[in-house]
Structure formats: C-alpha cells, structure tokens
Amino acid sequence: MATLSRKQREIRDRERLILDVARRLLLDKGYLGLSMDRIAAEIEYSKGTVYQHFRCKEDLLTALAIQTKLKRVELFERAVTFDGRPRERMTAIGAADEIFARRYPDYIATEEVLYVQSIACKASESNQEAMQAVDGRCVAAVCGTIKGGIEAGDLEIPPPRQASEIAFGIWGMTFGSRIVGKTPTCMDQLGITDATTSLRRMQQAYLDGWNWRPLSHEWDYDSTRDRILGEVFADERAAITV
Amino acid sequence: MATLSRKQREIRDRERLILDVARRLLLDKGYLGLSMDRIAAEIEYSKGTVYQHFRCKEDLLTALAIQTKLKRVELFERAVTFDGRPRERMTAIGAADEIFARRYPDYIATEEVLYVQSIACKASESNQEAMQAVDGRCVAAVCGTIKGGIEAGDLEIPPPRQASEIAFGIWGMTFGSRIVGKTPTCMDQLGITDATTSLRRMQQAYLDGWNWRPLSHEWDYDSTRDRILGEVFADERAAITV
DNA sequence: CCAATTTTTGACCAACCGTCAAAAAATAAT
DNA sequence: ATTATTTTTTGACGGTTGGTCAAAAATTGG
C-alpha cells in the first residue's frame, strides 16, 4: 500500500517536527543546550515518545546530520552537471558547498559535533549506514570530477598519489577552515575578515598546486563561477550574493 | 621571594596532577567521559578542591589546551631556526606539527573540543588570554616564515591576498585533515590509509599552488625533511619514524 | 595552648539521559 | 454498544553530570 494510515502519517509528521525543533535548539544553544527534555516540552509530547523515534540523543543527531547532508549532496550532484571542463565542475562543487554552508548554517553545528565526539557509533545501525551512504555519494561526486580531470588529460597523479588524496585535501581544508574561521580569536590573530572568500582562493591555489589545468592564472574562474551561479544554481543565487 | 612555601608547592603539584589525570581521562573516555567527580576521585581529593583550581570544566579544558599548545609552539619556534630557504623552514614547521601530533595525541582531543563547543568563552579571563597568547606565537612563527619567503623573493602575494591567507589555509587544512582522518568511515570511503603522508603531500601541493619557490618538483623536500629531523629535531626523531 | 585564618570537604541542587510499569487511546471482537 | 486486546503515550524514577556552600578540618599566628 502506497498510502499511509492516519497514524503513520502522524508519526512521520511528528518525526519531522522533532528534527525541526532539535535543529533549532542545536543552532541556538549548541550541543550542550540540546536536551531531550526540552525537545519533548517543545513538541508537547512526553520524553518517552521522543525516545520512540530515536533510541538515543546520538541517534537523533545522526538523523539530523543525514537530513542535512542530503541537502548538500543534492547540491553537489547538481554541481557536477555543469557543462564545462573538469576543473570548472570542481569549482562548481566549491560553489555548491558555499551555497550549502550559507543556506544551512545549522549543518556545521551538526557535522562538527558528529566528527568530534564519538557520536555516530552510538547511533542505530540503519542511521549509521544511511549516513555512510550519503557521504559516499558526496565522495563519488568529488572523486568522479577529479577522475574526469585525469581522463581529460588536465591532471596527472603520479603514484603513490591517488585521486582521492586531492579530495581528502579539499575536504579537510574546507571543513577545517570553516571551524577555524568560526572562532573569532583565531581570525583576529590572522587578520582575516572574509573567511569564505579566502577559502575560495585557497581551494584554487590547492588545485593549482596539483597542476590541474587550466590553472587559475590561465582561466577566469570568477566568470566560471558567475556562469555556474547563473546556469546551475540560479534559484540559490540569492543565498550566496547577500 | 623566589622560593615557594610548602603549601604553595603542594598546590602547584596538585594542579599538575589534576591536569595529568584530566588529560588521561580525556584521551581514554573522550569529552563526555571526563567528569569532575572522576578527577576528584582519582586524585583523592574532594570535588570542591578541584573547583578551587579551575572555576569550571571549561576552564580546566582550556588550561589543558594551553599546556599542550605550549609544547607545540616550542616545536614551531625550534622549527623556524632551521637554516635554509623560507619554504624549507615552512616544511620544518610541517615536520614540527607532525612530531607534535604524534607525541601528544591527546592534544587533538583537547583542541577539537575547544574549537567545536563554545568552551573557551566560559574559561577564566586569564586562561583565555593565555591561550590567545600561545596561539599568537604560533601564528607569528608561521606568518613570519611566509613573510620571509616574500622578502626573499620566493613568493608573491598579489592583493587582495594576504600573507595570513596562506597561513589560514595551512591551518585549516592541517586541522581539518586530522579530524576527518580520524573517522574511519571517511577514510574507507576515500581509500586513504596513511593520512599523515597524505597531509604532507597536500601541504606541499598547496604551497606549490601559491607558487612558493622552489616548487616541490624543483627541490627535494624529502631530503630537506631528513635534514630537519637530523639537525633540529634529532631528539624527537624517534617519535616520528616509528 | 587557644584564637584567627585558610583549606578541604561532601551533602546538596538542578539538569541531564534513558527506562519502564502503568495509564490512556486505538483497534478488534463479540 | 460493550468488552477484550493491542498499541501508544506518559511521567515518575534511577543514575550521573556540573557546580555550590555551610560546616568541618587543618594550618597559622600569638
């Protein structure tokens, strides 16, 4: 049966409600401010009901992360449809990630907590697998683009280097810069005001370092970016040009 | 008076003991397993006494981070004494950080927690300032080396780029890769087995990307690294070649 | 030896996560 | 419509946090 019973619909809606409330709390009050009691109070159900949806707090957080990672991977998979040279598609992924970071600021809060504490391992099997699957799609999009660059002859990866090493670098750099960039003291020390723009330049420098052609001084990636925002992310453009 | 009273010495020793126990607990059981009660039990003093040393858990964590960041900055400041071209000194800083990460694995646990949760802001003013001061020395070592490269004519930073942007990239990349590299699922997805070596190559690629001469294909930075380990970090060599 | 001061203590509080028998609601059977 | 059965919801409860503070213990000074 494709249609759900009234009860099933109720449960599904309530799960959405829980996740919505949890995300807001996480963003507002941080990881420590996110309590199961508070969620229960806000949704006006008892705590036991919340625990019927998620076996523990970590499971809830993982579900939250999956929900938002899905948003990201959708943007990534849209990005790689960009019609251009592989490195332009890589730039498109960068733009996708920037849109993602702006549109879902709560994501950073979710993901970083998940990385740091050993949270994922407490989540239910199914949620762990689901999260891995989403991450896998993300990796596939990035690594696929890198391999596209190799196949097009724009990039060489002499052993023992691997295509995934480039991806690892981009991933680490992006994730790390976002966390470091959030701490004001660090930014004061460095004197950096616009972490987003800096990250963009850093990523291009990194790809130049792997000698991924066309290099940034041979090609106008700023206008590529404009095209990307116009052609692939027209609907999201507002989010990024604020 | 330079000499401390017996009592003062006792207090100082106890503080060290608390930090030692706390570090061990943090490494063993993670952030959530680190409890003030447990610390009190382990040092065989009451909880109140622990709170006489640190006004709250965050203050203790910050003190822990300072202690270890000091170890790191010492290595950094030794690294920049390496006699060679600026980019070689940059490589020396990379080696210093690698030694640091291996010798003080608990540091990662401390620092990442400090970055992620809004912990630092709850610490005492004095500890906050102390931590900023240590970070400042760290930034100074890195940015100083970058500026050395510019002065030597090995590197140009056309505006609006800044010297600190390179540092920001290295920082974010190093920090981020270490966190991502710790999660086994991510590494499985990427198929990366030796994150440390990958990070090393990533850093060199990044510096190549900024066109910091001599580029990695023009110079044998592996043997530079050997010289660094022999000349500057001879005593720490064992830690890194295990 | 006793009084003044400092240090240490652990009972105590509020908030947290997670459990589970009992209550309430929904469904099925008569 | 009424009763029996199943499902869902509840919130009191246990155990563990971080943090406080009056009272007890130890130290110091006279």
Side-chain angles (χ1 to χ4, degrees), chain A residues 69-90:
Chain A
K69 270 170 192 274
L70 272 173
K71 303 272 187 192
R72 174 201 245 170
V73 92
E74 279 160 24
L75 289 169
F76 272 35
E77 288 173 356
R78 264 171 71 188
V80 296
T81 67
F82 179 72
D83 186 24
R85 296 186 64 164
R87 184 157 165 177
E88 287 187 296
R89 284 206 296 280
M90 199 68 181

mmCIF file of all heavy atoms in Angstrom, chain A residues 69-90:
data_model
loop_
_atom_site.group_PDB
_atom_site.id
_atom_site.type_symbol
_atom_site.label_atom_id
_atom_site.label_comp_id
_atom_site.label_asym_id
_atom_site.label_seq_id
_atom_site.Cartn_x
_atom_site.Cartn_y
_atom_site.Cartn_z
ATOM 1 N N LYS A 69 22.937 16.491 5.321
ATOM 2 C CA LYS A 69 23.918 16.020 4.346
ATOM 3 C C LYS A 69 23.234 15.724 3.013
ATOM 4 O O LYS A 69 23.840 15.871 1.956
ATOM 5 C CB LYS A 69 24.603 14.748 4.857
ATOM 6 C CG LYS A 69 25.862 15.006 5.689
ATOM 7 C CD LYS A 69 26.332 13.718 6.345
ATOM 8 C CE LYS A 69 27.393 13.917 7.395
ATOM 9 N NZ LYS A 69 28.757 13.947 6.852
ATOM 10 N N LEU A 70 21.983 15.303 3.093
ATOM 11 C CA LEU A 70 21.243 15.048 1.866
ATOM 12 C C LEU A 70 21.086 16.332 1.059
ATOM 13 O O LEU A 70 21.224 16.332 -0.166
ATOM 14 C CB LEU A 70 19.874 14.447 2.186
ATOM 15 C CG LEU A 70 19.845 12.932 2.301
ATOM 16 C CD1 LEU A 70 18.487 12.459 2.793
ATOM 17 C CD2 LEU A 70 20.160 12.287 0.952
ATOM 18 N N LYS A 71 20.808 17.403 1.778
ATOM 19 C CA LYS A 71 20.692 18.694 1.083
ATOM 20 C C LYS A 71 22.000 19.022 0.378
ATOM 21 O O LYS A 71 22.015 19.534 -0.736
ATOM 22 C CB LYS A 71 20.383 19.802 2.104
ATOM 23 C CG LYS A 71 19.147 19.578 2.938
ATOM 24 C CD LYS A 71 17.918 20.120 2.266
ATOM 25 C CE LYS A 71 16.718 20.041 3.191
ATOM 26 N NZ LYS A 71 15.467 20.296 2.477
ATOM 27 N N ARG A 72 23.091 18.725 1.056
ATOM 28 C CA ARG A 72 24.381 19.048 0.470
ATOM 29 C C ARG A 72 24.665 18.215 -0.767
ATOM 30 O O ARG A 72 25.075 18.731 -1.799
ATOM 31 C CB ARG A 72 25.472 18.815 1.503
ATOM 32 C CG ARG A 72 26.844 18.993 0.915
ATOM 33 C CD ARG A 72 27.866 18.274 1.756
ATOM 34 N NE ARG A 72 28.795 19.217 2.365
ATOM 35 C CZ ARG A 72 29.664 18.864 3.291
ATOM 36 N NH1 ARG A 72 29.653 17.629 3.768
ATOM 37 N NH2 ARG A 72 30.502 19.750 3.776
ATOM 38 N N VAL A 73 24.416 16.933 -0.636
ATOM 39 C CA VAL A 73 24.762 16.050 -1.742
ATOM 40 C C VAL A 73 23.900 16.360 -2.964
ATOM 41 O O VAL A 73 24.355 16.243 -4.106
ATOM 42 C CB VAL A 73 24.657 14.573 -1.305
ATOM 43 C CG1 VAL A 73 23.309 13.996 -1.573
ATOM 44 C CG2 VAL A 73 25.749 13.738 -1.953
ATOM 45 N N GLU A 74 22.676 16.795 -2.724
ATOM 46 C CA GLU A 74 21.845 17.204 -3.852
ATOM 47 C C GLU A 74 22.490 18.366 -4.604
ATOM 48 O O GLU A 74 22.535 18.385 -5.835
ATOM 49 C CB GLU A 74 20.449 17.614 -3.356
ATOM 50 C CG GLU A 74 19.534 16.431 -3.119
ATOM 51 C CD GLU A 74 18.380 16.774 -2.194
ATOM 52 O OE1 GLU A 74 18.016 17.958 -2.085
ATOM 53 O OE2 GLU A 74 17.841 15.832 -1.558
ATOM 54 N N LEU A 75 22.999 19.315 -3.830
ATOM 55 C CA LEU A 75 23.675 20.450 -4.462
ATOM 56 C C LEU A 75 24.928 19.989 -5.210
ATOM 57 O O LEU A 75 25.206 20.448 -6.318
ATOM 58 C CB LEU A 75 24.037 21.496 -3.405
ATOM 59 C CG LEU A 75 22.867 22.290 -2.812
ATOM 60 C CD1 LEU A 75 23.308 23.088 -1.599
ATOM 61 C CD2 LEU A 75 22.278 23.230 -3.857
ATOM 62 N N PHE A 76 25.658 19.077 -4.591
ATOM 63 C CA PHE A 76 26.877 18.563 -5.239
ATOM 64 C C PHE A 76 26.529 17.879 -6.565
ATOM 65 O O PHE A 76 27.197 18.092 -7.573
ATOM 66 C CB PHE A 76 27.584 17.564 -4.319
ATOM 67 C CG PHE A 76 28.563 18.190 -3.368
ATOM 68 C CD1 PHE A 76 28.316 19.443 -2.812
ATOM 69 C CD2 PHE A 76 29.732 17.539 -3.014
ATOM 70 C CE1 PHE A 76 29.212 20.033 -1.930
ATOM 71 C CE2 PHE A 76 30.646 18.115 -2.137
ATOM 72 C CZ PHE A 76 30.379 19.352 -1.597
ATOM 73 N N GLU A 77 25.496 17.074 -6.511
ATOM 74 C CA GLU A 77 25.167 16.319 -7.721
ATOM 75 C C GLU A 77 24.592 17.227 -8.807
ATOM 76 O O GLU A 77 24.691 16.917 -9.995
ATOM 77 C CB GLU A 77 24.220 15.158 -7.365
ATOM 78 C CG GLU A 77 24.981 14.069 -6.599
ATOM 79 C CD GLU A 77 24.110 12.949 -6.057
ATOM 80 O OE1 GLU A 77 22.873 13.019 -6.189
ATOM 81 O OE2 GLU A 77 24.679 11.992 -5.489
ATOM 82 N N ARG A 78 24.028 18.324 -8.384
ATOM 83 C CA ARG A 78 23.636 19.324 -9.380
ATOM 84 C C ARG A 78 24.880 20.004 -9.942
ATOM 85 O O ARG A 78 24.970 20.273 -11.148
ATOM 86 C CB ARG A 78 22.733 20.381 -8.739
ATOM 87 C CG ARG A 78 21.260 20.092 -8.933
ATOM 88 C CD ARG A 78 20.407 21.018 -8.114
ATOM 89 N NE ARG A 78 20.378 22.376 -8.585
ATOM 90 C CZ ARG A 78 19.813 23.382 -7.912
ATOM 91 N NH1 ARG A 78 19.240 23.134 -6.727
ATOM 92 N NH2 ARG A 78 19.810 24.594 -8.385
ATOM 93 N N ALA A 79 25.838 20.259 -9.065
ATOM 94 C CA ALA A 79 27.043 20.989 -9.477
ATOM 95 C C ALA A 79 27.782 20.267 -10.598
ATOM 96 O O ALA A 79 28.225 20.891 -11.559
ATOM 97 C CB ALA A 79 27.961 21.195 -8.267
ATOM 98 N N VAL A 80 27.890 18.941 -10.453
ATOM 99 C CA VAL A 80 28.693 18.214 -11.439
ATOM 100 C C VAL A 80 27.994 18.088 -12.787
ATOM 101 O O VAL A 80 28.579 17.553 -13.733
ATOM 102 C CB VAL A 80 29.097 16.812 -10.920
ATOM 103 C CG1 VAL A 80 30.006 16.949 -9.702
ATOM 104 C CG2 VAL A 80 27.880 15.972 -10.591
ATOM 105 N N THR A 81 26.777 18.557 -12.870
ATOM 106 C CA THR A 81 26.129 18.589 -14.193
ATOM 107 C C THR A 81 26.553 19.812 -14.998
ATOM 108 O O THR A 81 26.177 19.950 -16.161
ATOM 109 C CB THR A 81 24.592 18.615 -14.067
ATOM 110 O OG1 THR A 81 24.201 19.865 -13.483
ATOM 111 C CG2 THR A 81 24.084 17.469 -13.203
ATOM 112 N N PHE A 82 27.329 20.667 -14.367
ATOM 113 C CA PHE A 82 27.739 21.891 -15.054
ATOM 114 C C PHE A 82 28.512 21.535 -16.327
ATOM 115 O O PHE A 82 29.401 20.681 -16.308
ATOM 116 C CB PHE A 82 28.611 22.757 -14.137
ATOM 117 C CG PHE A 82 29.088 24.018 -14.787
ATOM 118 C CD1 PHE A 82 28.202 25.069 -15.038
ATOM 119 C CD2 PHE A 82 30.419 24.159 -15.163
ATOM 120 C CE1 PHE A 82 28.644 26.240 -15.639
ATOM 121 C CE2 PHE A 82 30.859 25.329 -15.775
ATOM 122 C CZ PHE A 82 29.970 26.370 -16.011
ATOM 123 N N ASP A 83 28.149 22.193 -17.397
ATOM 124 C CA ASP A 83 28.754 21.898 -18.686
ATOM 125 C C ASP A 83 30.027 22.713 -18.829
ATOM 126 O O ASP A 83 29.994 23.906 -19.106
ATOM 127 C CB ASP A 83 27.752 22.239 -19.797
ATOM 128 C CG ASP A 83 28.269 21.814 -21.155
ATOM 129 O OD1 ASP A 83 29.115 20.898 -21.194
ATOM 130 O OD2 ASP A 83 27.834 22.405 -22.150
ATOM 131 N N GLY A 84 31.178 22.039 -18.628
ATOM 132 C CA GLY A 84 32.439 22.765 -18.735
ATOM 133 C C GLY A 84 33.586 21.815 -18.504
ATOM 134 O O GLY A 84 33.407 20.588 -18.433
ATOM 135 N N ARG A 85 34.755 22.346 -18.367
ATOM 136 C CA ARG A 85 35.926 21.496 -18.149
ATOM 137 C C ARG A 85 35.901 20.954 -16.723
ATOM 138 O O ARG A 85 35.284 21.553 -15.839
ATOM 139 C CB ARG A 85 37.193 22.306 -18.396
ATOM 140 C CG ARG A 85 37.254 22.746 -19.847
ATOM 141 C CD ARG A 85 38.540 23.420 -20.162
ATOM 142 N NE ARG A 85 39.686 22.528 -20.015
ATOM 143 C CZ ARG A 85 40.884 22.800 -20.537
ATOM 144 N NH1 ARG A 85 41.065 23.919 -21.226
ATOM 145 N NH2 ARG A 85 41.895 21.974 -20.353
ATOM 146 N N PRO A 86 36.564 19.823 -16.506
ATOM 147 C CA PRO A 86 36.502 19.190 -15.181
ATOM 148 C C PRO A 86 36.827 20.158 -14.045
ATOM 149 O O PRO A 86 36.126 20.193 -13.028
ATOM 150 C CB PRO A 86 37.548 18.081 -15.286
ATOM 151 C CG PRO A 86 37.532 17.691 -16.724
ATOM 152 C CD PRO A 86 37.276 18.975 -17.482
ATOM 153 N N ARG A 87 37.843 20.959 -14.206
ATOM 154 C CA ARG A 87 38.183 21.865 -13.108
ATOM 155 C C ARG A 87 37.086 22.903 -12.894
ATOM 156 O O ARG A 87 36.897 23.410 -11.795
ATOM 157 C CB ARG A 87 39.522 22.544 -13.359
ATOM 158 C CG ARG A 87 39.913 23.398 -12.174
ATOM 159 C CD ARG A 87 41.372 23.691 -12.026
ATOM 160 N NE ARG A 87 41.499 24.799 -11.067
ATOM 161 C CZ ARG A 87 42.612 25.300 -10.646
ATOM 162 N NH1 ARG A 87 43.759 24.800 -11.056
ATOM 163 N NH2 ARG A 87 42.628 26.313 -9.797
ATOM 164 N N GLU A 88 36.377 23.216 -13.942
ATOM 165 C CA GLU A 88 35.222 24.110 -13.763
ATOM 166 C C GLU A 88 34.142 23.406 -12.949
ATOM 167 O O GLU A 88 33.497 24.020 -12.092
ATOM 168 C CB GLU A 88 34.676 24.538 -15.124
ATOM 169 C CG GLU A 88 35.563 25.530 -15.838
ATOM 170 C CD GLU A 88 34.915 26.052 -17.105
ATOM 171 O OE1 GLU A 88 34.686 25.235 -18.046
ATOM 172 O OE2 GLU A 88 34.629 27.256 -17.177
ATOM 173 N N ARG A 89 33.987 22.133 -13.198
ATOM 174 C CA ARG A 89 32.999 21.375 -12.410
ATOM 175 C C ARG A 89 33.443 21.324 -10.942
ATOM 176 O O ARG A 89 32.622 21.371 -10.032
ATOM 177 C CB ARG A 89 32.840 19.965 -12.967
ATOM 178 C CG ARG A 89 32.021 19.927 -14.246
ATOM 179 C CD ARG A 89 31.353 18.568 -14.443
ATOM 180 N NE ARG A 89 32.332 17.509 -14.620
ATOM 181 C CZ ARG A 89 32.959 17.246 -15.765
ATOM 182 N NH1 ARG A 89 32.704 17.976 -16.836
ATOM 183 N NH2 ARG A 89 33.815 16.267 -15.846
ATOM 184 N N MET A 90 34.760 21.226 -10.739
ATOM 185 C CA MET A 90 35.281 21.242 -9.375
ATOM 186 C C MET A 90 34.946 22.585 -8.708
ATOM 187 O O MET A 90 34.564 22.630 -7.539
ATOM 188 C CB MET A 90 36.799 21.031 -9.424
ATOM 189 C CG MET A 90 37.396 20.574 -8.129
ATOM 190 S SD MET A 90 36.885 18.891 -7.709
ATOM 191 C CE MET A 90 37.746 18.726 -6.162
#
